[in-house]
Amino acid sequence: MNKFAFAIVSVAAMALAGCQSSTSDQKGDALASTSDALILAAREQFKALPNGPGVVPGIKSTPELVALGNMLYSDPRLSASHTIACAACHSMGLGGADARSTSLGHRWQHGGRNAPTVLNAVYNSAQFWDGRAKDLTEQAGGPISNPIEMAMPADQVIPTLKSIPGYADVFAKAFPGDKDPIRMANVQAAIAAYEATLVTPNAPFDRFIKGDALALGQAERRGLTSFMNNGCAACHNGVNMGGGMYAKFGVASAPPTELLPPGDVGRFAVTKDEADRYSYKVPTLRNIALTAPYFHTGKVWNLDEAVTVMAKTQLGKTLPQQEVSDIVAFLRSLTGDQPKTSVPALPPVTGTSARPAD
Amino acid sequence: MNKFAFAIVSVAAMALAGCQSSTSDQKGDALASTSDALILAAREQFKALPNGPGVVPGIKSTPELVALGNMLYSDPRLSASHTIACAACHSMGLGGADARSTSLGHRWQHGGRNAPTVLNAVYNSAQFWDGRAKDLTEQAGGPISNPIEMAMPADQVIPTLKSIPGYADVFAKAFPGDKDPIRMANVQAAIAAYEATLVTPNAPFDRFIKGDALALGQAERRGLTSFMNNGCAACHNGVNMGGGMYAKFGVASAPPTELLPPGDVGRFAVTKDEADRYSYKVPTLRNIALTAPYFHTGKVWNLDEAVTVMAKTQLGKTLPQQEVSDIVAFLRSLTGDQPKTSVPALPPVTGTSARPAD
């Protein structure tokens, strides 16, 4: 939409803003044309992302802790090959994720599921697609020693860090008073504290629900209305537009096998509860336009297709193309300010430091 | 050295600074004890690194060009797997290099030679260990399509970039007036322009030769003196303390086979001149303390050992351990301010963008 057209639409929307519907059957129409009503309706289901870092349970964040976390997050020497950092698959350049269906790990092994974004992950109720880690701290211990990811033997993480002399001082500053600060719990806490800073406030949608009616154009507003009316927001809601619950992939109709390969049983593997078979954590939709490909398989590269698949498998609906496009326009309004992270200078190895594996 | 000891040494050095030698046979002794004379002697062989970016021949740098270059340098989608960026092997976190003897490339292939640092590479007279690229612009085209590195087929680089819609505007701004800006020559120019900003001024040694006598302690001064007196500076000289010439590895005595495997013939492969067999570009020593492992094989992890090997193979000398330690102390004074680079947000793929290879 060019500026001129946008101004006309916005004026029209403001002119209509007084006509709020009072009965529920009029609600859909009214939402589409009045921004005040739409803002109020959206506030019932979503929350604007706060400015500033999120909070990880049990962690008191300090600048020193975050700085250490940024170093560890960026340090490929936490992997067996000294080549794969956390940041390799969760890159600030690529919306906190990577650019593949599944990531490449140690010795070019292919990961099992699409790398989820680290951005705003602090606002998820659990971590990983199957929620097997309760928070960022617990999550941070997983990929480092996962044999198909970073593949660092669990008993080598700390000796490796201790063999790089420059880390001693950085850990000491991040954990003042701790007599043996280079230990796994602290590594995980520092990474989690850093990740909690990786939030993306100020998306157009956030500005909209904070009251800036002009932050969304007409297509985005229609898409938001459609998103709520069709029931997408039943799962994708709250501050993270998702990340707060689990849902079976295929509530209304079975997804194609490519999108739901039978061998990956989802949360069932964690709970052994038959009800959780093929259930996955509902992913955040924040920054979704930056993080193709989609779904736990990463087999869908197109937001339009992702919306169409979701409508069919989760809601049993076949949406008209115009409505799909509107929802996609709305989803694009969930892209916030990307974190400004610098590449931290890492302490160098010495002749006695641990060496990478082949 | 603690602060107190350093102050005493410095005062002593200043007290001696008037006693400059006038005959050449007294020079060595005098250099060790007088900072003025040492500074003057060093200025004959070395130059302080300028503040601000270097200049790549034929490239007019602009902020827009550098910003594009930073994006391309950081974008793993320039590789076949969409996983390996330039920054993977030339990381700002690791002194502009990586943490391995040889880098891991496409499908976990091992590179042929140790990844040289990108830092201050703009001041090298040629690029790659064998000098096969005359400047950064020419160099930038190599690894992207090298089948054991990023492995992007040469004819797919531009279609891939064109398939990511957000790049159109960034290229247009970097190359104003260019009707078809997304082309290989421009990709290379932008990367080179960015790399030319990756300089590390303000090393203690730079401050010293600019006249700040206190910037080097006594061990560093002894090491500098030894470095010049033993002939190291015959090759490692100029603004980059190297990077300006080729030298046969093994001038005085043959290196062990592990350090000079016969199958890698060095610059001979480029020139076919028998005199260049086993010749390599003399690497810069700037930031050398950050970039272990050493030599084109990356088989030496220890600076002391690297100095000992060089003294023996290039100069035919067996240096006493104290002298080796002093030279290493001097080499550590070549670590400058590391570039403050942010991770650039990269334009996202869409449903029609090029897809990564397995």
Side-chain angles (χ1 to χ4, degrees):
Chain A
M1 193 184 301
N2 65 37
K3 270 190 194 168
F4 182 68
F6 182 76
I8 290 179
V9 165
S10 301
V11 167
M14 285 187 288
L16 286 163
C19 321
Q20 291 185 27
S21 69
S22 52
T23 64
S24 74
D25 61 355
Q26 291 176 308
K27 203 170 178 185
D29 286 350
L31 284 177
S33 54
T34 75
S35 56
D36 283 11
L38 186 55
I39 290 172
L40 293 171
R43 283 180 183 170
E44 289 175 22
Q45 314 224 31
F46 313 111
K47 272 180 64 179
L49 199 68
N51 281 299
V55 175
V56 184
I59 292 184
K60 188 178 172 316
S61 190
T62 62
E64 292 78 12
L65 185 64
V66 169
L68 170 62
N70 188 8
M71 291 168 74
L72 295 170
Y73 187 88
S74 308
D75 197 333
R77 294 167 304 185
L78 281 180
S79 67
S81 64
H82 291 200
T83 293
I84 305 173
C86 304
C89 302
H90 303 281
S91 163
M92 293 313 109
L94 295 165
D98 64 4
R100 295 183 50 89
S101 295
T102 58
S103 307
L104 294 169
H106 190 61
R107 294 180 176 272
W108 215 253
Q109 293 173 92
H110 292 61
R113 295 177 185 143
N114 181 254
T117 180
V118 68
L119 300 179
N120 311 304
V122 66
Y123 289 112
N124 294 339
S125 61
Q127 304 300 331
F128 295 118
W129 277 98
D130 55 14
R132 67 183 183 275
K134 70 174 191 295
D135 56 25
L136 288 174
T137 312
E138 195 170 307
Q139 192 280 335
I144 294 173
S145 296
N146 185 325
I148 67 165
E149 299 187 20
M150 296 163 75
M152 178 67 92
D155 62 359
Q156 291 307 305
V157 179
I158 298 308
T160 298
L161 289 172
K162 286 187 172 176
S163 79
I164 300 170
Y167 265 124
D169 186 50
V170 192
F171 270 89
K173 283 183 174 139
F175 297 97
D178 189 328
K179 285 194 179 120
D180 184 24
I182 306 186
R183 50 197 171 84
M184 200 60 204
N186 288 352
V187 168
Q188 293 178 228
I191 292 174
Y194 168 66
E195 290 176 334
T197 69
L198 302 175
V199 293
T200 63
N202 207 31
F205 175 68
D206 288 319
R207 300 201 303 272
F208 183 75
I209 60 172
K210 282 178 169 178
D212 176 4
L214 297 181
L216 293 192
Q218 207 64 354
E220 289 86 349
R221 294 181 201 192
R222 284 195 310 266
L224 167 58
T225 304
S226 175
F227 189 85
M228 294 192 292
N229 287 355
N230 279 302
C232 310
C235 295
H236 293 283
N237 53 37
V239 66
N240 231 3
M241 329 289 288
M245 58 178 277
Y246 301 92
K248 184 183 165 86
F249 189 8
V251 172
S253 69
T257 305
E258 192 195 32
L259 301 190
L260 187 63
D264 182 342
V265 294
R267 186 153 170 79
F268 174 76
V270 179
T271 63
K272 309 297 178 196
D273 180 344
E274 199 53 48
D276 289 333
R277 191 176 290 272
Y278 303 126
S279 268
Y280 295 87
K281 193 183 66 189
V282 174
T284 177
L285 294 180
R286 289 193 173 275
N287 306 293
I288 194 73
L290 304 182
T291 60
Y294 304 112
F295 302 136
H296 69 282
T297 53
K299 291 293 188 193
V300 169
W301 288 79
N302 190 306
L303 258 185
D304 283 55
E305 187 185 341
V307 169
T308 302
V309 166
M310 279 285 102
K312 183 143 188 233
T313 62
Q314 306 307 98
L315 305 167
K317 294 182 179 182
T318 302
L319 299 181
Q321 182 53 44
Q322 179 61 48
E323 199 162 356
V324 171
S325 298
D326 288 343
I327 292 175
V328 168
F330 160 63
L331 294 177
R332 292 187 185 285
S333 81
L334 299 177
T335 301
D337 295 342
Q338 300 301 294
K340 296 267 181 294
T341 41
S342 62
V343 181
L346 302 173
V349 297
T350 67
T352 54
S353 298
R355 308 272 168 89
D358 267 358
Chain B
M1 193 184 300
N2 65 37
K3 269 191 194 166
F4 182 68
F6 182 76
I8 291 179
V9 165
S10 301
V11 168
M14 285 188 288
L16 286 163
C19 321
Q20 290 185 28
S21 70
S22 53
T23 64
S24 73
D25 59 356
Q26 291 176 306
K27 203 169 177 185
D29 287 348
L31 283 177
S33 54
T34 74
S35 57
D36 283 11
L38 186 55
I39 290 171
L40 293 172
R43 283 181 183 168
E44 288 175 24
Q45 313 225 32
F46 313 111
K47 273 180 65 179
L49 199 68
N51 282 299
V55 174
V56 184
I59 293 184
K60 189 181 172 310
S61 190
T62 63
E64 292 78 11
L65 186 63
V66 169
L68 170 62
N70 188 8
M71 291 169 75
L72 295 170
Y73 188 88
S74 309
D75 198 334
R77 295 168 302 186
L78 281 180
S79 68
S81 64
H82 291 200
T83 293
I84 305 173
C86 304
C89 303
H90 303 281
S91 162
M92 293 315 109
L94 295 165
D98 64 4
R100 294 184 50 90
S101 295
T102 59
S103 306
L104 295 168
H106 189 61
R107 294 180 175 272
W108 215 253
Q109 293 174 91
H110 292 60
R113 295 177 185 145
N114 181 252
T117 181
V118 68
L119 299 179
N120 312 304
V122 65
Y123 290 111
N124 293 339
S125 61
Q127 304 300 332
F128 294 118
W129 277 99
D130 55 15
R132 66 183 182 275
K134 71 174 191 293
D135 56 25
L136 288 174
T137 312
E138 196 171 304
Q139 192 280 336
I144 294 173
S145 296
N146 185 325
I148 67 165
E149 300 187 20
M150 296 164 73
M152 179 66 94
D155 61 359
Q156 292 307 305
V157 179
I158 297 309
T160 297
L161 289 172
K162 286 187 173 175
S163 79
I164 300 170
Y167 265 125
D169 187 51
V170 191
F171 271 89
K173 283 182 175 140
F175 297 97
D178 189 329
K179 284 194 180 122
D180 183 24
I182 306 186
R183 50 197 169 85
M184 199 61 204
N186 288 352
V187 168
Q188 294 178 226
I191 292 174
Y194 167 66
E195 290 176 335
T197 69
L198 303 175
V199 293
T200 63
N202 206 32
F205 176 68
D206 288 318
R207 300 201 303 272
F208 183 75
I209 60 171
K210 283 178 168 176
D212 175 4
L214 297 181
L216 293 192
Q218 207 65 354
E220 289 86 349
R221 294 179 199 192
R222 285 195 309 267
L224 166 58
T225 305
S226 175
F227 188 86
M228 294 193 291
N229 287 355
N230 279 302
C232 310
C235 295
H236 293 283
N237 54 36
V239 67
N240 232 4
M241 330 288 289
M245 58 178 277
Y246 302 91
K248 184 183 168 87
F249 189 8
V251 172
S253 70
T257 305
E258 193 196 31
L259 301 189
L260 187 64
D264 182 344
V265 295
R267 186 154 170 80
F268 174 78
V270 179
T271 63
K272 309 297 179 196
D273 180 343
E274 199 54 49
D276 290 331
R277 190 177 291 271
Y278 302 125
S279 269
Y280 296 86
K281 192 182 69 190
V282 175
T284 176
L285 294 181
R286 290 194 173 275
N287 306 293
I288 195 73
L290 304 182
T291 60
Y294 303 112
F295 302 136
H296 69 282
T297 53
K299 291 292 188 194
V300 170
W301 289 78
N302 190 305
L303 259 184
D304 283 55
E305 186 184 343
V307 169
T308 302
V309 167
M310 280 285 102
K312 182 143 188 234
T313 62
Q314 306 307 100
L315 305 167
K317 294 182 180 181
T318 302
L319 299 181
Q321 182 52 43
Q322 180 60 49
E323 197 162 356
V324 171
S325 299
D326 288 343
I327 292 175
V328 168
F330 160 63
L331 293 177
R332 293 188 185 283
S333 81
L334 300 177
T335 301
D337 296 342
Q338 300 301 293
K340 296 267 180 294
T341 40
S342 62
V343 182
L346 302 173
V349 297
T350 68
T352 54
S353 297
R355 306 272 168 88
D358 268 356

